[in-house]
Amino acid sequence: MRLDKFLSQYTDYSRSQIQQLVKAARVTVNGEIVRKADNKLRGDEQVRLDDQLIQAFSNRYIMLHKPLGYVCANNDSEHPVVVDLLAVPRKQDLQIAGRLDLDTTGLVLLTDDGQWNHRITAPKQECAKTYLVTTAEPIHHDVISLFAQGVQLHGEKHLTRPAQLDILNSHSARLQIHEGKYHQVKRMFAATGNRVVQLHRESIGNILLDSQLAPGEYRPLTETEIQEALQ
Ligand code: URA
């Protein structure tokens, strides 16, 4: 790979800024000042900018405990966005694997690995997501079989996929769904004449929200979590 391509990929500098940095003798390869930005790299060199080692990034996989009031987006004109919570470079490259509403809390996954994101979010994968739900009205026992059979949501062609509802007490339940339609959980409860007042996502596939993470905190996924997300 060319030196200028490497630097533009793994720093926040543009190609023209990199030309200037090279001209100013601020870039070294294996300890030698380089004079040409189009020098070829084999891949095992140590590239430094102002003595700082520039390392090739591998893909990033992040688990975030989303707090209330944040939008699952990279930019928003009205509200803070979840990437504001991350102290990482190249935030614009991060994709959100399964968005949550402004007033929903819990597990959000962010990655710059588009294929992995697709495997988590593609409707065909039927990746399970588990939510803790608190409702305005008591949850009727009949809702268990209704959700297991599938509910007709307003404006949708097909019934929802079978979902598992576990009633925890009169106004709260754990719900596992295998799809991610817009406002799906709220709409499912609305279809039963009830209203969701609190919603929290506990898991996506095999990845559980780390109980050590307070709202707003995040950590990288472990190798096992990345590999086993969908098993
Ligand atoms: N279903 C909803 O209604 N809202 C969410 O944020 C997630 C699932």
Side-chain angles (χ1 to χ4, degrees):
M1 183 191 290
R2 279 169 52 144
L3 176 64
D4 50 2
K5 182 161 185 225
F6 173 86
L7 285 170
S8 68
Q9 204 158 317
Y10 299 119
T11 69
D12 287 329
Y13 291 106
S14 67
R15 289 268 184 121
S16 57
Q17 288 171 319
I18 289 160
Q19 298 271 358
Q20 298 307 315
L21 293 169
V22 169
K23 265 198 192 144
R26 289 171 59 186
V27 179
T28 60
V29 173
N30 291 338
E32 301 285 328
I33 291 175
V34 281
R35 300 286 173 194
K36 286 165 101 187
D38 62 357
N39 271 12
K40 285 265 163 30
L41 298 175
R42 284 189 315 267
D44 57 355
E45 297 90 342
Q46 297 225 317
V47 179
R48 287 176 195 270
L49 171 60
D50 295 336
D51 284 339
Q52 197 191 336
L53 185 63
I54 307 299
Q55 281 173 316
F57 299 123
S58 49
N59 282 121
R60 296 166 297 169
Y61 304 87
I62 295 168
M63 155 188 308
L64 166 74
H65 186 163
K66 178 192 172 296
L68 283 174
Y70 280 75
V71 180
C72 278
N74 294 64
N75 299 294
D76 189 83
S77 52
E78 250 183 276
H79 299 283
V81 293
V82 288
V83 294
D84 291 343
L85 296 162
L86 310 176
V88 297
R90 299 175 300 116
K91 292 183 191 187
Q92 70 283 359
D93 294 349
L94 290 171
Q95 304 170 6
I96 299 162
R99 289 161 199 274
L100 293 178
D101 297 337
L102 188 69
D103 58 356
T104 302
T105 59
L107 177 61
V108 168
L109 300 175
L110 299 110
T111 184
D112 44 19
D113 179 345
Q115 281 182 350
W116 187 84
N117 181 10
H118 181 72
R119 282 167 49 215
I120 297 281
T121 52
K124 271 196 188 152
Q125 301 290 349
E126 301 184 16
C127 180
K129 294 169 202 88
T130 309
Y131 293 88
L132 265 186
V133 188
T134 309
T135 55
E137 307 298 331
I139 305 167
H140 207 278
H141 241 261
D142 295 352
V143 178
I144 297 175
S145 55
L146 183 68
F147 283 2
Q149 285 159 23
V151 194
Q152 184 61 56
L153 299 182
H154 190 69
E156 299 285 345
K157 257 197 200 153
H158 304 289
L159 295 184
T160 53
R161 287 195 185 136
Q164 290 74 51
L165 184 71
D166 185 12
I167 298 179
L168 303 174
N169 59 49
S170 63
H171 289 71
S172 77
R174 179 169 282 118
L175 176 66
Q176 189 173 70
I177 59 175
H178 301 265
E179 58 198 331
K181 291 189 165 64
Y182 181 65
H183 291 332
Q184 175 149 353
V185 176
K186 291 174 184 164
R187 288 161 74 205
M188 285 172 74
F189 277 89
T192 73
N194 208 336
R195 185 166 58 85
V196 172
V197 292
Q198 262 180 36
L199 190 56
H200 176 83
R201 183 156 65 197
E202 295 182 311
S203 66
I204 299 176
N206 288 332
I207 303 177
L208 305 183
L209 178 62
D210 189 330
S211 58
Q212 303 292 315
L213 294 178
E217 291 184 341
Y218 63 95
R219 69 157 170 82
L221 293 186
T222 63
E223 211 41 58
T224 313
E225 285 168 332
I226 297 165
Q227 299 307 330
E228 295 184 353
L230 287 169
Q231 288 168 12

